[in-house]
Amino acid sequence: MSFEIGLTLTTALKKARNQHEKCTLIKSFGKLVCGLHETNPVGSLHSEKDWICEQLSKAERYLESGNTDGDLELLQKLKLNLPSRVQQTMIHGDCTTDNVMVLDGDGEVRLFIDVAGMTIGDPRYDESLAIRKWINNEEYITAFYEGYIRYRVTKQEFEYFKEGLYEFF
């Protein structure tokens, strides 16, 4: 572990002086996430298993043990409505504004923290978590996608990941 001087993106957005500064931060967050998703998978994490299926199995175990906010009805819905398959990439696994740092000096999002869930998985999961606070703010969504140029999740994909699968974790 190391200590980095900076702020979480959540804090930096609260301290931003104006909309332009907020949009610049959000765009740099999009760039950071995009860079992660375009990184060649680390060998030890590489897997041929389908990440979504593994997550659904984990969700079922969590549900059985009572360690989740999700319920059986949601789990069944998720299993019946799997999104289309995409190329799995490196993902953070909890890609929120609390888990990235804006380092002192340049005012850009430069560092992931809390990387215990980093793995090979569906990049739409990270993307959905990243934009969840701004899903109804077109200016912020636009800023994010100026940095995250890989793909734009559909409303259905967003709901599957953020309002569905994430409920179990």
Side-chain angles (χ1 to χ4, degrees):
M1 271 181 37
S2 65
F3 178 78
E4 300 293 337
I5 298 174
L7 307 168
T8 66
L9 178 55
T10 300
T11 302
L13 288 168
K14 288 176 185 171
K15 291 184 172 198
R17 295 178 299 247
N18 54 51
Q19 286 298 105
H20 176 73
E21 204 170 285
K22 288 180 182 182
C23 287
T24 299
L25 288 165
I26 292 168
K27 179 180 177 180
S28 70
F29 181 34
K31 283 182 183 178
L32 182 70
V33 177
C34 188
L36 175 65
H37 293 170
E38 292 179 346
T39 300
N40 288 329
V42 176
S44 63
L45 295 177
H46 191 69
S47 173
E48 296 300 321
K49 295 178 182 177
D50 183 79
W51 179 84
I52 292 176
C53 291
E54 286 182 349
Q55 296 307 106
L56 291 172
S57 293
K58 225 187 268 188
E60 192 166 3
R61 289 191 305 274
Y62 291 170
L63 184 61
E64 289 169 358
S65 66
N67 293 325
T68 184
D69 290 335
D71 59 34
L72 183 58
E73 182 181 343
L74 177 58
L75 182 59
Q76 290 171 336
K77 179 181 172 186
L78 293 172
K79 286 181 175 183
L80 291 172
N81 297 294
L82 290 170
S84 60
R85 286 192 58 121
V86 297
Q87 178 68 41
Q88 297 186 130
T89 67
M90 290 284 298
I91 64 169
H92 181 276
D94 193 13
C95 195
T96 67
T97 58
D98 290 326
N99 288 331
V100 292
M101 296 284 292
V102 177
L103 300 182
D104 280 353
D106 64 8
E108 289 200 25
V109 180
R110 298 272 188 202
L111 181 70
F112 287 104
I113 59 174
D114 193 12
V115 295
M118 193 171 278
T119 190
I120 305 299
D122 193 315
R124 296 171 297 184
Y125 185 72
D126 273 357
E127 187 183 346
S128 296
L129 295 183
I131 65 171
R132 70 191 175 135
K133 290 182 178 180
W134 313 307
I135 195 65
N136 295 314
N137 185 321
E138 193 56 40
E139 184 178 14
Y140 292 171
I141 291 293
T142 298
F144 180 83
Y145 283 109
E146 286 174 0
Y148 189 86
I149 57 172
R150 297 185 80 247
Y151 178 80
R152 188 174 184 138
V153 291
T154 66
K155 182 179 184 214
Q156 293 79 18
E157 290 167 332
F158 174 82
E159 289 171 356
Y160 185 89
F161 291 106
K162 191 314 186 170
E163 298 175 0
L165 191 58
Y166 191 63
E167 290 297 309
F168 291 92
F169 303 99

